[in-house]
Amino acid sequence: MALSRRTLLAGGLAAGAGLTSGCAGKPLDTLLTQAAHVPRTPATLTWWVSEIPSRNGPVVADLIIRAFERRHPHIHVRKSNALSTTDGNRAAVTTQLAGASPTPDVYLGDTTWPAQFGANSLALPLQTLLPKDFWTAYPAALRRVSEYRGAVYALPFFTDSAFLYYRKDLLAKHGRPVPRTWEELLRTARTVQRAGDAPYGFLWQGSVSESLTCNVAEFLADAEAPVLDGAGRVALNGPGAERAFSLMREFTETGVTPSTVTTYVEADSQDAFTGGRGVFLRNWSYAWGNAADRTVSKVAGKVGVAPRPGFEGDGPRGVSCAGGWSNFINPNSRHLGAAVAFARFCAGEEAQMILLKNAGVIPALDEVLTRREARAVGDPTLARVRELQLVARPVQTPYYPQVSKALYTRANAVLGGRATPAQAVRAARADIRTALEGGAL
Amino acid sequence: MTSSAPVSRRPAPEEAGPHAAQAPRGGGPARVSRRRRARTGWFFASPALLVITAVTVFPVLFSLLLSFADVRLEYGGFRILSLTGDHYAAVLSSPEWRQALVFTFGFTAVTVLLELVLGTAAALVLERLGAARGWVLAVLLLPWALINVVAAQLWGYLYNGTYGGLTWLFEQILGHQPDILGQPASAISAMVVVDVWKTTPFVAIVVLAGLMLIPGDVYEAAEIDGAGTWTTFWKVTLPQLRPIMAIAVLFRILQAFGIFDLPFVLTQGGPGTATESLAILGYKTLFQNLAIGRGAAVATTTAVIVITCCLLFLRVFRTQADEGGRA
């Protein structure tokens, strides 16, 4: 009884074919009917959630779960600890979801995921389950990134907004105001650097990752250069885009930004700033907590926060990439009704107030930011977040990861001096076109 | 003295002959017993076979199937719409794949060569050490014992642009802060250094084992013939080491060609796409871009290339060994 190679191959392929025929999908209407009703019978949900930065010590996710369970005593929520990086999380959660796993029931995902996850049936479309005026309470940019082809695939939880952090003490010493334009920032940074008060002027994120795409999206918005047009075709072109890329190169060429920025993710730039090595830092709102914490920051008490500058002229100022995390529903969940109820609870007032009081993030619900409690927290990013102009990344395509890669690899080459701004814009445009046509790997 | 009682006649052991236990020709109880033995064998082997099928055979064949499949993910599962060769066409014509192929080939060639040279040198030194050999070996093996990701993270700190020890050292020597992982040439070199540091001990210990197996009289004969140190090394030691070196090189080619953890931790494939290996490209294609068919095609092409390389290497090695034998 010999098991020949041919038998083995045929058996394997037959098993594969059998598996595929056994994995046919479920009708969406059935899923939505289940999702529309909160069950009255006991249910246990699994929530895939990464650590939410905490301001006061308690684990924020636990506070929210306890509040939800008080409202829905028959629904129990169990945490499933997600990974620390966005891309690692995506790989882990998509492996589970594509394998039709019923858990996690609800998962916290990046705001860049909805189109890709929606197009691949990894998230439940939720628009029919929401009241018509649902989105009026949330930033418009958040709604734009949560939708794909008219369907909503994510419910808002918290946002990340970008700010300019600056050294109050160094600006005061040199009699300089907080810069409102990039040109002004370059002049101030050079003055402070020449005086030997800080080795670096402006710190930001330039590594080949989504972090750089966020920075590029902001610089492009400063220069009023869109990546995609209204019809979703590539629009990156012309003097506006080149101006944005030229500014990035000018930072590294003049030494205002260290050349090592080509390897910086958020933590690297933050460490350099809190270590007293920079005058300005572009980072997300959560960086305030670390910069003001005397146990980890050498510059605590000397840091100010302002909206990002813009170019000289009439262009926009205070541009911030619309970042953040939203809750998605696993279409394979056995408790769809309970899962939707939990995700809606996270987007609602009670959970958003818990975020406001305890978490080092910006709640997605606009209205809570105007409350007295928001001022009492004493976090300047909360006070100034409404001055920002949020810009969405070109996420409304299932090929967003490839579009993002086109932007960050080409911008990274400009920072390292391996391509001119004009060459990089042309190459990024060609790469994005290939990506949108589904031609990129 | 006779006995009337019937006595069955059993052959005495010495009469039974050497083939007594063998089954007689034709159908008989012995054939049944052989079948039974085979069945017992299958029974005991089946758990292992099941595990191997589940974790090796099935995934490999399923991945092969996916690389030809137009897959659509659906609510509650997925569906294979058709079989196609488009994924291979897309992969083979893509500039990202070509770049990854060049990097992976180059990285494999350079690291395996360096590790072979340095590992052999280290083994020659180790062989001559006396009582201290055990201690030196233990220290030498430390990098090899470290988990790859931990080693990569460790070197990542040394190369870090802001507080990295090596960055600081180069800054003192060069007078300016180098961007080690931010420029293609230095990033690739930095990665080669980590791999060589980590894996040379493996080659050294394999070659050392080979050295210890060479019989002493071969060296005595060479000495009587008047061969010097170099001649002995080239004409005696190296030919004797060739089979074991071939094993080390094969192992290293397999590992280096699938390099994932080093670029993943150190550079994420950057700067640009300079250190994007085939494994990283496959990971990004499959898990970040959710292009299931194309990701599987990247994995399959990588497997085909590495198997071809290994077979070619073995053929060249065998030819050389045969020629060496005839010479």
Side-chain angles (χ1 to χ4, degrees):
Chain A
M1 192 176 139
L3 191 64
S4 74
R5 267 177 279 183
R6 193 177 295 168
T7 317
L8 205 62
L9 188 72
L13 286 175
L19 185 77
T20 55
S21 63
C23 288
K26 296 175 193 162
L28 179 60
D29 288 347
T30 315
L31 299 179
L32 289 175
T33 308
Q34 290 168 16
H37 301 286
V38 184
R40 288 169 202 277
T41 48
T44 299
L45 295 177
T46 307
W47 185 26
W48 175 272
V49 57
S50 44
E51 195 181 330
I52 303 165
S54 171
R55 195 180 288 119
N56 307 323
V59 179
V60 182
D62 290 347
L63 296 177
I64 290 173
I65 288 171
R66 280 207 289 275
F68 175 76
E69 286 175 345
R70 274 199 296 275
R71 300 258 167 204
H72 300 270
H74 57 293
I75 305 177
H76 175 59
V77 181
R78 206 171 49 202
K79 264 192 316 183
S80 172
N81 291 327
L83 309 177
S84 60
T85 66
T86 307
D87 290 339
N89 259 320
R90 173 165 44 199
V93 86
T94 51
T95 309
Q96 263 181 275
L97 298 174
S101 164
T103 56
D105 301 274
V106 182
Y107 57 96
L108 197 59
D110 195 271
T111 52
T112 61
W113 294 0
Q116 193 191 20
F117 277 47
N120 287 293
S121 306
L122 300 175
L124 192 71
L126 300 163
Q127 70 282 1
T128 56
L129 306 169
L130 303 172
K132 282 206 165 61
D133 61 345
F134 176 83
W135 285 99
T136 54
Y138 302 96
L142 200 53
R143 177 189 186 155
R144 278 198 295 279
V145 297
S146 303
E147 283 184 346
Y148 174 60
R149 294 194 171 166
V152 171
Y153 289 101
L155 291 183
F157 190 43
F158 62 82
T159 61
D160 274 336
S161 295
F163 286 91
L164 182 77
Y165 295 87
Y166 58 91
R167 287 282 298 277
K168 284 191 292 193
D169 57 329
L170 294 180
L171 295 195
K173 181 181 173 189
H174 292 273
R176 298 280 181 160
V178 179
R180 286 178 49 79
T181 66
W182 291 117
E183 292 80 358
E184 203 182 340
L185 180 139
L186 277 159
R187 284 193 295 273
T188 304
R190 275 198 292 257
T191 305
V192 178
Q193 281 176 282
R194 275 196 210 112
D197 289 331
Y200 310 137
F202 180 39
L203 300 159
W204 45 292
Q205 301 83 35
S207 69
V208 284
S209 68
E210 189 62 27
S211 310
L212 177 53
T213 299
C214 295
N215 283 266
V216 173
E218 286 164 358
F219 286 128
L220 286 170
D222 294 339
E224 298 178 284
V227 179
L228 304 183
D229 66 14
R233 289 176 304 236
V234 61
L236 186 76
N237 206 4
E242 283 181 34
R243 189 182 190 193
F245 276 66
S246 299
L247 176 69
M248 289 186 259
R249 177 63 187 142
E250 195 176 349
F251 286 134
T252 50
E253 208 168 21
T254 54
V256 165
T257 290
S259 61
T260 48
V261 77
T262 50
T263 59
Y264 275 16
V265 291
E266 279 86 354
D268 299 309
S269 57
Q270 186 180 264
D271 288 346
F273 185 75
T274 53
R277 295 167 76 92
V279 189
F280 300 106
L281 165 75
R282 178 268 175 210
N283 214 331
W284 301 103
S285 28
Y286 70 78
W288 167 257
N290 294 322
D293 182 348
R294 289 183 192 280
T295 60
V296 293
S297 172
K298 282 187 190 168
V299 294
K302 299 173 184 170
V303 178
V305 180
R308 285 175 69 260
F311 282 105
E312 263 172 11
D314 309 328
R317 293 205 169 86
V319 167
S320 162
C321 192
W325 291 77
S326 304
N327 278 308
F328 298 66
I329 308 294
N330 176 1
N332 311 310
S333 164
R334 294 203 184 99
H335 309 289
L336 283 172
V340 172
F342 179 67
R344 284 201 60 183
F345 178 82
C346 289
E349 190 185 335
E350 190 177 347
Q352 295 289 307
M353 282 304 288
I354 294 174
L355 285 180
L356 180 81
K357 289 176 186 167
N358 300 284
V361 296
I362 296 173
L365 190 66
D366 263 340
E367 190 261 331
V368 302
L369 297 170
T370 59
R371 301 267 178 97
R372 185 172 43 79
E373 290 95 327
R375 285 190 295 278
V377 167
D379 182 336
T381 64
L382 285 175
R384 302 202 69 171
V385 69
R386 291 166 74 83
E387 298 170 36
L388 304 182
Q389 292 195 41
L390 294 184
V391 292
R393 277 161 283 173
V395 295
Q396 274 135 336
T397 158
Y399 302 114
Y400 175 69
Q402 292 94 320
V403 171
S404 175
K405 187 180 178 186
L407 285 172
Y408 68 63
T409 48
R410 301 303 179 177
N412 184 267
V414 172
L415 294 179
R418 302 188 304 279
T420 65
Q423 284 168 340
V425 168
R426 269 200 306 279
R429 182 184 169 82
D431 289 351
I432 292 170
R433 185 181 290 133
T434 311
L436 292 174
E437 288 166 357
L441 282 189
Chain B
M1 191 179 112
T2 60
S3 168
S4 59
V7 177
S8 67
R9 188 177 189 288
R10 282 186 187 176
E14 61 273 17
E15 285 178 73
H19 304 295
Q22 276 189 354
R25 282 195 198 93
R31 169 166 274 206
V32 172
S33 134
R34 193 162 59 180
R35 259 196 228 134
R36 190 177 295 154
R37 261 216 310 275
R39 267 207 301 274
T40 315
W42 278 107
F43 174 75
F44 281 115
S46 56
L49 276 175
L50 274 175
V51 170
I52 289 171
T53 308
V55 303
T56 309
V57 180
F58 177 72
V60 167
L61 292 179
F62 192 54
S63 171
L64 190 67
L65 179 74
L66 288 181
S67 73
F68 286 105
D70 186 7
V71 183
R72 192 176 72 197
L73 292 172
E74 292 184 340
Y75 297 116
F78 64 93
R79 192 187 294 273
I80 292 183
L81 301 177
S82 60
L83 292 179
T84 167
D86 289 357
H87 303 315
Y88 285 97
V91 166
L92 297 179
S93 63
S94 116
E96 289 109 317
W97 182 78
R98 273 184 239 132
Q99 158 124 27
L101 184 71
V102 170
F103 168 73
T104 311
F105 253 116
F107 180 82
T108 304
V110 172
T111 53
V112 172
L113 191 70
L114 283 174
E115 283 154 16
L116 190 66
V117 173
L118 294 175
T120 308
L124 287 167
V125 173
L126 280 170
E127 199 214 2
R128 273 148 214 269
L129 289 179
R133 189 195 290 159
W135 287 100
V136 176
L137 209 57
V139 173
L140 193 74
L141 276 175
L142 271 180
W144 174 246
L146 272 183
I147 297 166
N148 274 1
V149 173
V150 175
Q153 196 72 46
L154 188 82
W155 281 85
Y157 287 129
L158 290 173
Y159 289 139
N160 185 287
T162 312
Y163 49 78
L166 279 173
T167 306
W168 177 85
L169 190 69
F170 282 122
E171 195 178 356
Q172 306 306 309
I173 298 166
L174 301 170
H176 66 88
Q177 196 182 42
D179 186 10
I180 298 175
L181 296 177
Q183 291 296 332
S186 53
I188 293 170
S189 310
M191 212 167 280
V192 167
V193 166
V194 181
D195 198 75
V196 169
W197 171 84
K198 170 110 182 60
T199 322
T200 299
F202 165 75
V203 180
I205 201 148
V206 172
V207 174
L208 180 65
L211 277 174
M212 292 167 117
L213 287 175
I214 301 175
D217 49 4
V218 182
Y219 287 109
E220 281 167 24
E223 204 180 329
I224 291 164
D225 287 348
T229 313
W230 273 110
T231 316
T232 310
F233 176 72
W234 287 111
K235 301 278 183 189
V236 178
T237 312
L238 213 52
Q240 295 275 339
L241 281 178
R242 209 179 253 170
I244 205 136
M245 277 179 160
I247 293 169
V249 168
L250 266 185
F251 268 71
R252 290 300 308 130
I253 290 178
L254 283 169
Q255 278 184 332
F257 216 83
I259 188 78
F260 179 84
D261 24 32
L262 272 187
F264 188 77
V265 174
L266 283 178
T267 58
Q268 289 281 313
T273 52
T275 58
E276 199 167 78
S277 67
L278 285 169
I280 292 266
L281 182 68
Y283 166 80
K284 285 185 177 174
T285 308
L286 192 55
F287 293 110
Q288 288 188 11
N289 305 347
L290 294 181
I292 294 170
R294 284 184 194 175
V298 172
T300 309
T301 45
T302 309
V304 168
I305 291 168
V306 73
I307 290 169
T308 312
C309 282
C310 287
L311 290 177
L312 275 176
F313 172 78
L314 277 178
R315 172 159 290 194
V316 170
F317 166 76
R318 260 195 217 130
T319 315
Q320 281 187 353
D322 289 348
E323 281 168 4
R326 278 195 298 274

